[in-house]
Amino acid sequence: MMATAMGALLTACGKPAVSKFRRYDGPPVTRVQVFKKQRRLQLLSGNRMLKDYKMEMGFAPDGHKQIQNDGRTPEGAYRIDRRNANSRFHLSLGISYPNSDDIARAEAMGKRPGGDIFIHGTPTNYIGQDDWTWGCIAVSNDEIEEIYAMVKDGTPIFIYP
């Protein structure tokens, strides 16, 4: 009885919490593409564009990510290889950077390539600045909820200059 009364009281105090996990039952996303110069992230099914988003990226937007902490977003062909439902940035999808070429390039410079590159939402204190990440691709929290539902692990992602 006490639990029922508490539930009614909490419901009366405001709207019930909305889950950040959405369902998607449309065409499969077969490709993610990112155009850094245009600041666009696109989801495709075959040749058909399903969604197009404005995005932000690393604070040093020009060029391919070379080494850890360079602030650049990688360029090239990768895969979505993991997901984080408890991200500091709402939700996030991991990108398979670094690949063997990225590792070899960084090692030739005597450096580490870095890692933990994601497509993610925004932190709670986000103030809307441009190109603020350390190399990740950022969209709004509403958009990452949609992307998180639509894009499966293993989906190829192509990041263009």
Side-chain angles (χ1 to χ4, degrees):
M1 180 137 192
M2 179 64 106
T4 304
M6 286 300 286
L9 179 62
L10 290 174
T11 303
C13 291
K15 295 190 300 187
V18 177
S19 174
K20 63 184 177 181
F21 301 104
R22 299 185 188 184
R23 292 190 60 218
Y24 175 72
D25 60 2
V29 173
T30 58
R31 174 187 180 109
V32 177
Q33 52 190 31
V34 172
F35 297 94
K36 289 171 56 173
K37 186 173 184 169
Q38 292 82 14
R39 308 293 194 278
R40 305 305 296 181
L41 181 149
Q42 300 173 338
L43 305 182
L44 287 85
S45 182
N47 291 325
R48 181 174 153 222
M49 187 180 324
L50 301 174
K51 291 288 185 171
D52 180 50
Y53 305 93
K54 182 180 183 311
M55 58 90 173
E56 299 297 334
M57 61 189 155
F59 63 81
D62 296 329
H64 175 60
K65 182 165 194 61
Q66 302 281 317
I67 58 172
Q68 186 172 354
N69 297 326
D70 66 5
R72 292 184 176 146
T73 300
E75 296 170 357
Y78 299 94
R79 291 207 172 269
I80 300 300
D81 66 350
R82 62 200 180 281
R83 52 192 58 234
N84 183 354
N86 299 308
S87 172
R88 294 184 321 166
F89 303 97
H90 197 60
L91 293 169
S92 60
L93 294 173
I95 297 172
S96 63
Y97 175 89
N99 62 29
S100 58
D101 291 339
D102 298 319
I103 294 167
R105 187 180 306 109
E107 286 178 351
M109 293 186 274
K111 306 281 186 178
R112 295 176 147 198
D116 286 336
I117 302 297
F118 288 84
I119 301 169
H120 61 64
T122 58
T124 54
N125 62 347
Y126 177 69
I127 57 172
Q129 64 268 36
D130 290 339
D131 296 336
W132 55 273
T133 77
W134 281 86
C136 294
I137 297 163
V139 295
S140 74
N141 288 345
D142 188 56
E143 291 166 336
I144 192 61
E145 288 178 9
E146 187 171 66
I147 294 165
Y148 195 89
M150 293 175 74
V151 177
K152 303 300 178 211
D153 289 357
T155 302
I157 178 169
F158 299 90
I159 306 171
Y160 302 103

